Amino acid sequence: MAISTAQEMEQPQNGNEFDIERAVIPSEYTADEVPAVAQPRQMHAEKLPQPDNVDSAHGLLSCSACTAYELGLCAAKRKKVAEADWPDDMPAFTSTVHTIPARRTICHPKEWSEFVPIICQGWAVSSIALPNGRRQILSFHLSGDFVSTTSLLQPTLGRTVEAITAVTCRRLKRSDLKAYLFAHPDLLEKFARTWIEERTQADQLALDLGRRTSEESIARLIMHLAERLVKRGTMNGATMEFPLRQRHIADATGLTPVHVNKVLGAFQRAGLIEIGSRSLTIVNEAELRRAADWR
Amino acid sequence: MAISTAQEMEQPQNGNEFDIERAVIPSEYTADEVPAVAQPRQMHAEKLPQPDNVDSAHGLLSCSACTAYELGLCAAKRKKVAEADWPDDMPAFTSTVHTIPARRTICHPKEWSEFVPIICQGWAVSSIALPNGRRQILSFHLSGDFVSTTSLLQPTLGRTVEAITAVTCRRLKRSDLKAYLFAHPDLLEKFARTWIEERTQADQLALDLGRRTSEESIARLIMHLAERLVKRGTMNGATMEFPLRQRHIADATGLTPVHVNKVLGAFQRAGLIEIGSRSLTIVNEAELRRAADWR
DNA sequence: CGGGTGGTTGATACTTATCAATGGCTGTGG
DNA sequence: CCACAGCCATTGATAAGTATCAACCACCCG
């Protein structure tokens, strides 16, 4: 695993103090709902030095990996690029920024919304639930992720989206975004790449759920998250922020929390990983890779 | 289950005689590969009366459900509509029609292709395989299905596509299709609906694989196929063509063929379904629905 | 007629779920 | 500040679900 930056972690519970507020909220954008940040059990404050693959001008660590940033839709980026570089018809997107406290639902599956949500900061999760309580997690959303590309065309998401940590979420008005993308085929194509990625992930998920052992699934989940965090430059050596509950892992892999616990215990006893205070360290990457049947 | 048409089925093995050849292959289109139709074990000839929701002018039963037809990309449809109704810039798509014998591979996962494949007739399946032989089926393709909407933008499919029955497959040149769709936002949006459907299916697949019992999964697979066939008007009462091997069902549901056999046996003994000579009859729909935990 | 594929069945093993009990931690309210 | 409630992690005992193995049969095709 490539390690991109060193950074401060492990600053245990500083209560309600979140640096998430640093998220750029340009004055011309309405922040129509900023609920009080509430009881996170234990969160890592995100006082991170800027890795050099990221533009420090706007203060968002993960922008380099962000789809909206890449599409030129991010307010932070718009601020800093010369006006001349922007398409003339760059619309004034209606967009709002929300801060959602940990463990709160962000979208309901049948909720009608005019907006396309993007996760700017924090961890979120989307899932489908059955009436009888069984639940399948479809994906974890990290900073810079569209919640789902389908939201470009559908007012309803068909999934439940929940904040795991406190989350900063930007919402672009669908009609604006759609008009803009459809008018710019090159951007539309870039957007479509995100869709293809989503699809590839969905295929892999099916493969994992249908044809892998519990140990493989869990190891793969860890590898996958680590890989994504590396891309964002938010790994600290072999250690990553890991706000997931065992319940999340269970719902993502189709297992029970109890069984997840046993496998995780086995991994730790075998010296593959270490878990503690909402962080996870990959101790023996080679072995974990093997356990994950990783490429 | 709504039953749309009555039709002839159960004409056991008439050897190599396939009505699939009726598929329209306009002379201006090259059929660059028409391998000899080979050893189907037992196939239902498709001498079907035209249901009234379908245009009988072009002889393809399922066109009404076909994405390409809807987009105006189907040669059959182009033939019969007044020229004036077509966009002026309707391109001369480079397109080929192939007939693939049963049980043959249509696309390899890493095969580079300039074309977007559409299944016109027959059953196909796409899957991912692991080096160790485990395999997950991602979807069954019936007549009128794009194999994957991702093929619009990606030269490589990332999946194996195989014919189950003999298959007629049209391939549209990607660059042509892409240019055309990007120039017609309304069509592009229609196309995107197909993508959304694919995505919804992928989500449901994950839910089924991760959170359902073997019986539910299998019952759901049957319900799902029946529903799709009804849309195409190819159900005969409660009976449908059913060319799947138990191996297919196993690979689609993440189970073993042996276990699938036992569940299927139980379903039949319980009077839910009947299976015979490559066809499946839903005997007790209400119960099957319940077993499938169907909406 | 013979070979191969696919369906069927029973015995057994393994993986994972379920149940139950315990203890730690965190946030809450007295 | 302390006690308590609730959530989460942990562990062991047991049960259920599904896989594996093996044998046999039926059928189709060459």
Side-chain angles (χ1 to χ4, degrees):
Chain A
M1 181 149 320
I3 287 116
S4 51
T5 58
Q7 63 193 49
E8 305 275 85
M9 279 191 126
E10 300 302 326
Q11 303 180 325
Q13 55 273 37
N14 18 2
N16 282 358
E17 196 256 333
F18 284 95
D19 275 344
I20 287 185
E21 320 300 351
R22 275 196 299 159
V24 178
I25 307 186
S27 52
E28 80 267 28
Y29 288 21
T30 46
D32 60 340
E33 182 204 346
V34 183
V37 175
Q39 62 306 66
R41 289 297 175 72
Q42 188 175 6
M43 274 283 301
H44 297 290
E46 315 210 349
K47 295 213 173 91
L48 310 171
Q50 302 301 328
D52 40 86
N53 65 335
V54 157
D55 213 319
S56 58
H58 53 281
L60 282 175
L61 220 204
S62 50
C63 284
S64 62
C66 176
T67 319
Y69 188 82
E70 207 191 334
L71 293 176
L73 301 176
C74 175
K77 185 175 184 184
R78 292 182 70 194
K79 282 297 191 197
K80 59 171 285 295
V81 173
E83 291 289 325
D85 289 351
W86 289 102
D88 289 344
D89 56 350
M90 184 70 184
F93 283 125
T94 304
S95 145
T96 62
V97 173
H98 304 242
T99 302
I100 296 118
R103 294 125 114 304
R104 185 106 72 202
T105 297
I106 304 178
C107 312
H108 291 274
K110 296 179 179 173
E111 177 186 343
W112 199 272
S113 167
E114 304 274 300
F115 295 90
V116 176
I118 298 172
I119 306 298
C120 292
Q121 283 280 340
W123 293 48
V125 63
S126 61
S127 59
I128 321 184
L130 256 19
N132 60 18
R134 288 177 292 183
R135 190 172 87 126
Q136 178 62 49
I137 288 181
L138 298 170
S139 69
F140 294 106
H141 306 294
L142 307 183
S143 32
D145 289 339
F146 272 93
V147 165
S148 166
T149 52
T150 59
S151 58
L152 180 68
L153 289 150
Q154 271 193 154
T156 184
L157 214 44
R159 317 150 150 218
T160 304
V161 183
E162 286 163 313
I164 296 176
T165 66
V167 158
T168 309
C169 170
R170 174 176 298 279
R171 298 174 190 225
L172 304 176
K173 188 153 195 214
R174 182 179 30 264
S175 53
D176 289 355
L177 178 57
K178 194 168 135 190
Y180 181 61
L181 288 183
F182 273 66
H184 295 270
D186 50 321
L187 293 185
L188 185 54
E189 194 163 338
K190 240 186 219 169
F191 178 84
R193 304 271 158 220
T194 303
W195 145 47
I196 289 181
E197 240 170 71
E198 275 183 12
R199 179 51 180 274
T200 307
Q201 270 323 118
D203 290 356
Q204 283 301 316
L205 178 62
L207 184 57
D208 288 352
L209 290 171
R211 292 303 185 194
R212 313 201 92 122
T213 64
S214 57
E215 304 196 352
E216 281 176 317
S217 283
I218 293 175
R220 292 179 67 79
L221 176 58
I222 295 170
M223 289 297 294
H224 185 215
L225 287 171
E227 199 174 77
R228 292 170 68 192
L229 290 173
V230 164
K231 251 187 221 144
R232 274 152 244 253
T234 47
M235 286 284 291
N236 174 16
T239 299
M240 55 181 164
E241 183 195 358
F242 200 77
L244 303 188
R245 307 281 136 172
Q246 294 183 353
R247 161 111 222 145
H248 289 124
I249 302 179
D251 285 340
T253 52
L255 302 167
T256 20
V258 176
H259 192 63
V260 167
N261 180 287
K262 285 167 185 173
V263 173
L264 246 26
F267 281 176
Q268 294 187 79
R269 261 172 273 119
L272 300 193
I273 58 174
E274 256 168 38
I275 299 183
S277 58
R278 300 288 89 100
S279 76
L280 187 154
T281 304
I282 297 176
V283 178
N284 185 338
E285 194 202 321
E287 267 308 299
L288 184 61
R289 248 194 155 72
R290 237 176 39 78
D293 187 28
W294 202 249
R295 42 179 123 77
Chain B
M1 180 153 316
I3 286 113
S4 50
T5 58
Q7 64 193 52
E8 304 276 88
M9 279 193 125
E10 301 301 324
Q11 303 179 326
Q13 55 273 39
N14 20 0
N16 281 357
E17 197 255 336
F18 284 95
D19 276 343
I20 288 185
E21 317 300 349
R22 276 195 300 158
V24 178
I25 306 185
S27 52
E28 80 268 25
Y29 288 20
T30 46
D32 61 339
E33 182 205 345
V34 183
V37 175
Q39 63 307 61
R41 288 298 176 73
Q42 191 178 7
M43 275 282 300
H44 298 290
E46 315 209 350
K47 295 214 174 86
L48 311 170
Q50 303 300 328
D52 40 83
N53 65 334
V54 156
D55 215 317
S56 58
H58 53 280
L60 282 176
L61 218 205
S62 51
C63 284
S64 63
C66 175
T67 318
Y69 188 83
E70 208 192 333
L71 293 177
L73 301 175
C74 175
K77 184 175 185 182
R78 292 181 69 194
K79 282 297 190 194
K80 60 170 284 296
V81 173
E83 290 289 325
D85 290 350
W86 289 101
D88 288 345
D89 56 348
M90 184 69 182
F93 283 125
T94 304
S95 145
T96 62
V97 173
H98 304 242
T99 302
I100 296 116
R103 292 123 114 309
R104 185 107 72 204
T105 298
I106 303 178
C107 313
H108 291 273
K110 295 179 180 173
E111 176 187 342
W112 199 272
S113 166
E114 303 275 299
F115 295 90
V116 176
I118 298 173
I119 306 298
C120 292
Q121 282 280 338
W123 293 49
V125 62
S126 62
S127 60
I128 321 183
L130 257 20
N132 61 17
R134 289 177 290 183
R135 191 172 86 124
Q136 178 62 48
I137 287 181
L138 299 170
S139 67
F140 294 106
H141 306 295
L142 306 182
S143 32
D145 289 339
F146 272 92
V147 165
S148 166
T149 52
T150 59
S151 58
L152 181 70
L153 289 152
Q154 270 194 153
T156 183
L157 214 43
R159 317 149 151 219
T160 304
V161 183
E162 286 163 314
I164 296 176
T165 67
V167 158
T168 309
C169 171
R170 173 176 299 278
R171 297 173 190 227
L172 304 176
K173 188 154 194 211
R174 181 178 33 262
S175 52
D176 289 355
L177 178 57
K178 194 168 135 189
Y180 180 62
L181 287 183
F182 273 67
H184 295 270
D186 50 322
L187 294 186
L188 185 55
E189 194 164 338
K190 241 185 217 169
F191 178 85
R193 303 273 159 216
T194 303
W195 146 47
I196 290 181
E197 240 170 71
E198 274 182 12
R199 180 50 180 276
T200 307
Q201 271 322 119
D203 290 356
Q204 282 301 316
L205 179 62
L207 184 57
D208 289 352
L209 290 171
R211 291 303 184 193
R212 313 202 92 122
T213 65
S214 56
E215 305 196 351
E216 281 176 317
S217 284
I218 294 175
R220 292 179 68 78
L221 175 58
I222 295 170
M223 289 297 294
H224 185 215
L225 287 170
E227 199 172 77
R228 293 170 70 191
L229 290 173
V230 164
K231 251 186 220 143
R232 273 152 244 252
T234 48
M235 286 284 290
N236 175 16
T239 299
M240 55 180 166
E241 184 195 359
F242 200 77
L244 303 188
R245 309 280 135 173
Q246 295 183 351
R247 162 111 219 144
H248 289 124
I249 301 179
D251 285 341
T253 53
L255 303 167
T256 21
V258 176
H259 192 64
V260 167
N261 179 289
K262 285 169 185 172
V263 173
L264 245 26
F267 280 177
Q268 293 187 76
R269 260 173 274 119
L272 301 193
I273 57 173
E274 257 168 37
I275 298 182
S277 58
R278 299 290 90 100
S279 76
L280 187 154
T281 305
I282 297 177
V283 177
N284 185 339
E285 194 203 320
E287 266 308 299
L288 183 62
R289 249 193 153 73
R290 235 176 41 76
D293 188 28
W294 202 252
R295 40 174 129 56

